[in-house]
Amino acid sequence: SAVREINLYSTAEIKANGTTGGYVNLTAQAFNAQSGSLIQANGNNGPGGDINITTSDVLLSGAISANGTMGGSFALSAKTAQFDGTATIQTNGSNGPGGHIDIDVSQDINFVNSGLYASGTTDGGSIRILSRGGNLSLFDSLIQTNGGNGRGGSIGVSAFNQTILKNS
């Protein structure tokens, strides 16, 4: 049977760091990561790792990081998603291109005071945020795919109903 809930409290840490970033795969009906919590798959001297979350309902206020010399990847598949307060997702490249952030939600997505970063020292990475059947709201949030010595990255934002950008 499926895991009903994963709760990461404020001091919880899941780490798969190494020379190259590792792999973190979390699947549950509900996923809640409080402010102060950390999921990491950083590459200390190689590419960032892969972090995947599959859930029905997600509330993310913590930090997710798949940084490396080349950025890693983060993928979220959910029914509803709320990014709140101090939510931060990073797939930055410290000596190469930025990584990928892919957020695919079937209903509503809300970002409040949150940050998504897929920047690189060469080319920027890519960020895709999709609401297949609901609304997408970005309030007081930052999405960044900067390139250092190369091209900027790509940002795709799409919703079935309405997309609201306010102070973002």
Side-chain angles (χ1 to χ4, degrees):
S1 68
V3 173
R4 193 166 285 165
E5 270 184 74
I6 295 176
N7 289 302
L8 298 182
Y9 296 103
S10 62
T11 57
E13 294 184 352
I14 296 173
K15 292 184 177 180
N17 300 325
T19 302
T20 60
Y23 182 74
V24 177
N25 188 27
L26 302 171
T27 303
Q29 290 175 11
F31 181 82
N32 177 18
Q34 292 182 357
S35 179
S37 67
L38 177 64
I39 302 172
Q40 248 182 9
N42 290 339
N44 302 323
N45 197 22
D50 298 310
I51 299 172
N52 299 292
I53 298 174
T54 304
T55 184
S56 179
D57 302 300
V58 62
L59 173 58
L60 178 68
S61 298
I64 294 176
S65 166
N67 298 321
T69 52
M70 296 180 300
S73 70
F74 170 75
L76 169 68
S77 177
K79 183 177 136 198
T80 65
Q82 176 77 29
F83 298 82
D84 216 345
T86 56
T88 304
I89 300 171
Q90 295 183 5
T91 62
N92 295 319
S94 62
N95 194 24
H100 306 281
I101 297 174
D102 188 14
I103 297 171
D104 192 327
V105 175
S106 60
Q107 295 298 320
D108 291 343
I109 308 172
N110 294 303
F111 290 90
V112 179
N113 195 31
S114 300
L116 304 179
Y117 307 92
S119 296
T121 55
T122 57
D123 294 339
S126 67
I127 297 177
R128 183 180 77 111
I129 305 169
L130 174 62
S131 166
R132 294 184 180 271
N135 302 316
L136 193 158
S137 303
L138 287 161
F139 299 110
D140 304 308
S141 295
L142 178 62
I143 299 175
Q144 200 169 56
T145 61
N146 292 340
N149 299 323
R151 295 173 301 183
S154 65
I155 298 171
V157 175
S158 180
F160 180 78
N161 288 329
Q162 61 181 336
T163 301
I164 301 167
L165 301 171
K166 185 175 179 190
N167 298 326
S168 293

